[in-house]
Amino acid sequence: MAEQTVTTAGATAAPIATEPTTLWVERTGTRAYTGRSSRGAEVLIGSQGVAGVFTPGELLKIALAACSGLSADFPLSRKLGDNFDATIRVSGDADRENEVYPQLDEVFELDLSELDDEARERLLVTVQRAIDKVCTVGRTLKAGSKVTLSFDIEA
């Protein structure tokens, strides 16, 4: 079992036990699945055009944007305070002939109007470095990843 130390302002560091998160999807209907985690999270997944669900490609894009945001959160909050607003928009059309997304584009929307030009540039460089260093999703997409598939069949 791994341990993680969490500290909050004015509190003493206390180790909390963490277990690896288990992820799976379950079929819930025709071309409909629910993604689940052992931490109790759920996401509805389905085909394009079905209301109230994400497609797998949309989840990939959201994972990239969320990873960039989480990777940038510490340097941004250190400079802007804990209550800053941020939106990361992500887009990219699928190449349906090859079934890939050849390019994904992220736009990080921030209000940096209270910073002078020099401070703004320093912060953006720091944020870009943080994303490049610790955004696992972005790093994986850029590097490529080996994917394996096996079957557990009831006979």
Side-chain angles (χ1 to χ4, degrees), residues 32-84:
Y33 287 77
T34 298
R36 302 184 192 281
S37 84
S38 57
R39 293 191 327 267
E42 294 184 347
V43 62
L44 302 179
I45 308 162
S47 297
Q48 179 86 25
V50 175
V53 301
F54 290 104
T55 68
E58 290 166 342
L59 288 172
L60 175 76
K61 293 174 195 178
I62 287 172
L64 176 61
C67 189
S68 292
L70 289 168
S71 298
D73 205 71
F74 180 71
L76 287 170
S77 64
R78 191 176 61 224
K79 187 68 174 178
L80 304 174
D82 286 334
N83 295 321
F84 71 91

Side-chain angles (χ1 to χ4, degrees), residues 57-58 61-62 64-65 88-94 101-107:
E58 290 166 342
K61 293 174 195 178
I62 287 172
L64 176 61
I88 301 103
R89 298 191 189 280
V90 62
S91 61
D93 293 330
Y101 292 97
Q103 180 169 332
L104 298 175
D105 299 304
E106 294 179 278
V107 177

Side-chain angles (χ1 to χ4, degrees), residues 71-72 75-76 78 120-132:
S71 298
L76 287 170
R78 191 176 61 224
R120 187 178 306 126
E121 183 60 30
R122 277 194 317 268
L123 179 59
L124 293 177
V125 167
T126 301
V127 166
Q128 183 68 60
R129 284 184 185 150
I131 292 169
D132 290 345

Side-chain angles (χ1 to χ4, degrees), residues 1-4 15-23 37-40:
M1 178 186 316
E3 283 194 359
Q4 180 178 350
I16 55 173
T18 58
E19 294 291 328
T21 300
T22 304
L23 303 171
S37 84
S38 57
R39 293 191 327 267

